[in-house]
Amino acid sequence: MRKMRVALEIEIPSDVHEIERVVELVQKECRQLKIEPEKCSLNVPVALTEALSNAILRGNREDASKYVRVRASVSKAGDMLVVDVTDEGAGFDLPASTLNCTTPENLEREDGRGLYLMQCLVDRVEQFVDGGNTVRLTVQRG
Amino acid sequence: MSFTIRKQGEIVVVDVEGQLIVGNRQELKQKVLDELEKGEKRFLIDFSQTGYIDSSGLGVLVSLSKKIREQGGELRLANLNDDLKTLFELTKLDTLFQISDSRERALESF
């Protein structure tokens, strides 16, 4: 297990309008780590937006009494960013819930691209239940 | 984030400033549907001032494209930066939309 330092810890209400603010804070960490510009401008913000909107809309079902916790950690070596997004829902089966949105029958669907995009855009996506349902996004430099 | 709608000839041009994500996608959808209800048929969305788009933003574009086609119209896109091109390629939505490199070319293509 690599040594990590917590760079950001924040709790937000279950409101999708909170997402951009959190994404900006994590993007800042990403730039400070000198992670590649396209990962800072596209991969991290989109994957994190997906994780946060899933947590707010599906995990917490926009219940105003429930919160989403976000914790961003960076490796001591400074080459890896790990973001945990934890909601108060029951969790979900990541592989079973992921749809291949690029097949002809799914291409014109309005929904179903979130988990697929998350997994395309970051180095690793993990989901586990540990005092809440957590989605962990790992991004590495290089 | 904001959406600006203006007419250029017979074409409704929508500028998306900032992100197109879960928090504002309904606003874009409603603005375009309002124009469609007024009888407009040709739509161009210009992304030259757009940062990133999430899955719900992409979903709204797909949904609008379908609704506009059902009314005999067309939705085209312009000015995707490299990040947005990557997003459209990953989701294969580059095969669903006609995408131009500039607003002028997009307007000429209708």
Side-chain angles (χ1 to χ4, degrees):
Chain A
M1 184 72 186
R2 299 178 72 157
K3 287 191 174 171
M4 305 292 288
R5 142 181 98 75
V6 176
L8 172 78
E9 202 151 22
I10 189 170
E11 199 170 61
I12 59 165
S14 299
D15 178 351
V16 293
H17 297 98
E18 295 284 332
I19 291 176
E20 266 194 276
R21 181 171 68 88
V22 177
V23 169
E24 277 173 27
L25 291 171
V26 175
Q27 265 183 307
K28 204 182 280 180
E29 289 298 328
C30 209
R31 291 193 189 102
Q32 279 174 1
L33 284 177
K34 300 202 185 323
I35 285 175
E36 291 83 344
E38 68 274 17
K39 287 186 181 174
C40 297
S41 62
L42 175 77
N43 301 51
V44 169
V46 174
L48 181 56
T49 300
E50 302 302 344
L52 288 167
S53 60
N54 274 346
I56 292 167
L57 299 174
R58 296 198 169 80
N60 289 354
R61 299 183 182 277
E62 290 186 277
D63 181 338
S65 70
K66 293 182 175 175
Y67 286 81
V68 174
R69 284 200 314 274
V70 181
R71 184 166 67 180
S73 312
V74 298
S75 63
K76 285 268 167 70
D79 59 351
M80 187 167 82
L81 174 71
V82 176
V83 186
D84 287 347
V85 176
T86 304
D87 62 52
E88 299 184 46
F92 63 100
D93 182 339
L94 179 64
S97 306
T98 306
L99 187 79
N100 182 354
C101 60
T102 65
T103 60
E105 65 273 21
N106 290 333
L107 194 61
E108 291 205 63
R109 281 179 65 130
E110 184 169 353
D111 61 350
R113 290 181 182 83
L115 295 175
Y116 175 85
L117 270 180
M118 227 194 276
Q119 290 170 88
C120 288
L121 292 171
V122 297
D123 294 294
R124 193 160 64 240
V125 180
E126 297 157 276
Q127 185 270 333
F128 53 90
V129 177
D130 178 20
N133 168 53
T134 297
V135 168
R136 172 171 289 171
L137 309 174
T138 301
V139 185
Q140 281 188 293
R141 190 174 60 210
Chain B
M1 65 186 107
S2 69
F3 307 106
T4 310
I5 293 198
R6 58 172 71 88
K7 279 284 292 281
Q8 277 193 241
E10 294 298 304
I11 301 162
V12 176
V13 181
V14 185
D15 284 296
V16 178
E17 287 176 40
Q19 332 306 344
L20 175 57
I21 59 174
V22 61
N24 64 356
R25 73 198 200 278
Q26 284 301 339
E27 189 189 337
L28 172 69
K29 189 172 185 177
Q30 198 51 57
K31 284 191 171 189
V32 172
L33 290 179
D34 288 347
E35 296 297 320
L36 189 64
E37 261 187 39
K38 285 184 209 162
E40 299 296 343
K41 299 268 189 235
R42 295 169 172 182
F43 293 83
L44 170 64
I45 302 184
D46 188 326
F47 292 103
S48 57
Q49 297 173 79
T50 310
Y52 57 89
I53 303 176
D54 72 358
S55 66
S56 63
L58 292 172
V60 157
L61 297 177
V62 171
S63 160
L64 284 174
S65 173
K66 260 201 268 187
K67 285 188 197 305
I68 292 168
R69 267 187 278 133
E70 282 164 13
Q71 301 293 318
E74 199 170 350
L75 169 64
R76 295 184 182 175
L77 313 178
N79 280 321
L80 300 183
N81 63 29
D82 288 344
D83 287 348
L84 296 182
K85 278 181 191 160
T86 300
L87 212 52
F88 275 72
E89 285 163 12
L90 281 174
T91 52
K92 291 219 167 116
L93 290 180
D94 58 329
T95 64
L96 199 66
F97 289 98
Q98 185 163 328
I99 300 169
S100 299
D101 284 338
S102 73
R103 181 189 293 231
E104 293 68 31
R105 275 198 204 131
L107 290 169
E108 284 166 15
S109 72
F110 276 96

